[in-house]
PDB file of all heavy atoms in Angstrom:
ATOM      1  N   VAL L 849     108.051  92.606  72.389  1.00  0.00           N
ATOM      2  CA  VAL L 849     108.316  92.493  73.855  1.00  0.00           C
ATOM      3  C   VAL L 849     107.954  93.788  74.451  1.00  0.00           C
ATOM      4  O   VAL L 849     108.289  94.846  74.038  1.00  0.00           O
ATOM      5  CB  VAL L 849     109.780  92.171  74.140  1.00  0.00           C
ATOM      6  CG1 VAL L 849     110.056  92.246  75.594  1.00  0.00           C
ATOM      7  CG2 VAL L 849     110.085  90.786  73.616  1.00  0.00           C
ATOM      8  N   VAL L 850     107.133  93.723  75.560  1.00  0.00           N
ATOM      9  CA  VAL L 850     106.813  94.970  76.301  1.00  0.00           C
ATOM     10  C   VAL L 850     108.061  95.331  77.115  1.00  0.00           C
ATOM     11  O   VAL L 850     108.498  94.622  77.956  1.00  0.00           O
ATOM     12  CB  VAL L 850     105.669  94.756  77.266  1.00  0.00           C
ATOM     13  CG1 VAL L 850     105.359  96.016  78.044  1.00  0.00           C
ATOM     14  CG2 VAL L 850     104.418  94.290  76.474  1.00  0.00           C
ATOM     15  N   GLN L 851     108.642  96.405  76.757  1.00  0.00           N
ATOM     16  CA  GLN L 851     109.929  96.833  77.359  1.00  0.00           C
ATOM     17  C   GLN L 851     109.677  97.306  78.809  1.00  0.00           C
ATOM     18  O   GLN L 851     108.708  98.028  79.051  1.00  0.00           O
ATOM     19  CB  GLN L 851     110.629  97.850  76.548  1.00  0.00           C
ATOM     20  CG  GLN L 851     111.111  97.318  75.231  1.00  0.00           C
ATOM     21  CD  GLN L 851     112.086  96.195  75.400  1.00  0.00           C
ATOM     22  OE1 GLN L 851     112.886  96.218  76.360  1.00  0.00           O
ATOM     23  NE2 GLN L 851     112.054  95.189  74.532  1.00  0.00           N
ATOM     24  N   PRO L 852     110.581  97.025  79.675  1.00  0.00           N
ATOM     25  CA  PRO L 852     110.477  97.619  81.031  1.00  0.00           C
ATOM     26  C   PRO L 852     110.735  99.158  80.927  1.00  0.00           C
ATOM     27  O   PRO L 852     111.244  99.645  79.962  1.00  0.00           O
ATOM     28  CB  PRO L 852     111.613  96.945  81.800  1.00  0.00           C
ATOM     29  CG  PRO L 852     112.549  96.471  80.753  1.00  0.00           C
ATOM     30  CD  PRO L 852     111.759  96.170  79.534  1.00  0.00           C
ATOM     31  N   ALA L 853     110.346  99.808  81.968  1.00  0.00           N
ATOM     32  CA  ALA L 853     110.377 101.274  81.956  1.00  0.00           C
ATOM     33  C   ALA L 853     111.820 101.756  81.741  1.00  0.00           C
ATOM     34  O   ALA L 853     111.992 102.714  81.036  1.00  0.00           O
ATOM     35  CB  ALA L 853     109.817 101.809  83.254  1.00  0.00           C
ATOM     36  N   SER L 854     112.773 101.122  82.342  1.00  0.00           N
ATOM     37  CA  SER L 854     114.103 101.696  82.174  1.00  0.00           C
ATOM     38  C   SER L 854     114.996 100.680  81.438  1.00  0.00           C
ATOM     39  O   SER L 854     115.459  99.702  82.043  1.00  0.00           O
ATOM     40  CB  SER L 854     114.707 101.996  83.562  1.00  0.00           C
ATOM     41  OG  SER L 854     114.890 100.837  84.304  1.00  0.00           O
ATOM     42  N   VAL L 855     115.198 100.884  80.170  1.00  0.00           N
ATOM     43  CA  VAL L 855     116.169 100.063  79.481  1.00  0.00           C
ATOM     44  C   VAL L 855     117.397 100.939  79.339  1.00  0.00           C
ATOM     45  O   VAL L 855     117.351 102.006  78.750  1.00  0.00           O
ATOM     46  CB  VAL L 855     115.658  99.673  78.068  1.00  0.00           C
ATOM     47  CG1 VAL L 855     116.714  98.941  77.308  1.00  0.00           C
ATOM     48  CG2 VAL L 855     114.409  98.829  78.191  1.00  0.00           C
ATOM     49  N   PRO L 856     118.504 100.562  79.906  1.00  0.00           N
ATOM     50  CA  PRO L 856     119.681 101.437  80.001  1.00  0.00           C
ATOM     51  C   PRO L 856     120.265 101.601  78.621  1.00  0.00           C
ATOM     52  O   PRO L 856     120.107 100.753  77.747  1.00  0.00           O
ATOM     53  CB  PRO L 856     120.572 100.710  80.964  1.00  0.00           C
ATOM     54  CG  PRO L 856     120.206  99.303  80.784  1.00  0.00           C
ATOM     55  CD  PRO L 856     118.719  99.206  80.483  1.00  0.00           C
ATOM     56  N   PRO L 857     120.992 102.662  78.438  1.00  0.00           N
ATOM     57  CA  PRO L 857     121.713 102.842  77.160  1.00  0.00           C
ATOM     58  C   PRO L 857     122.725 101.794  76.984  1.00  0.00           C
ATOM     59  O   PRO L 857     123.287 101.288  77.982  1.00  0.00           O
ATOM     60  CB  PRO L 857     122.305 104.246  77.267  1.00  0.00           C
ATOM     61  CG  PRO L 857     122.438 104.455  78.741  1.00  0.00           C
ATOM     62  CD  PRO L 857     121.290 103.762  79.385  1.00  0.00           C
ATOM     63  N   THR L 858     123.086 101.491  75.722  1.00  0.00           N
ATOM     64  CA  THR L 858     123.996 100.387  75.518  1.00  0.00           C
ATOM     65  C   THR L 858     125.390 100.844  76.041  1.00  0.00           C
ATOM     66  O   THR L 858     126.266  99.997  76.175  1.00  0.00           O
ATOM     67  CB  THR L 858     124.133 100.108  74.000  1.00  0.00           C
ATOM     68  OG1 THR L 858     124.170 101.313  73.291  1.00  0.00           O
ATOM     69  CG2 THR L 858     122.878  99.322  73.586  1.00  0.00           C
ATOM     70  N   GLY L 859     125.553 102.085  76.273  1.00  0.00           N
ATOM     71  CA  GLY L 859     126.886 102.526  76.709  1.00  0.00           C
ATOM     72  C   GLY L 859     127.208 102.172  78.169  1.00  0.00           C
ATOM     73  O   GLY L 859     128.195 102.503  78.603  1.00  0.00           O
TER      74      GLY L 859
END
Side-chain angles (χ1 to χ4, degrees):
Chain L
V849 171
V850 179
Q851 291 299 325
S854 64
V855 176
T858 45

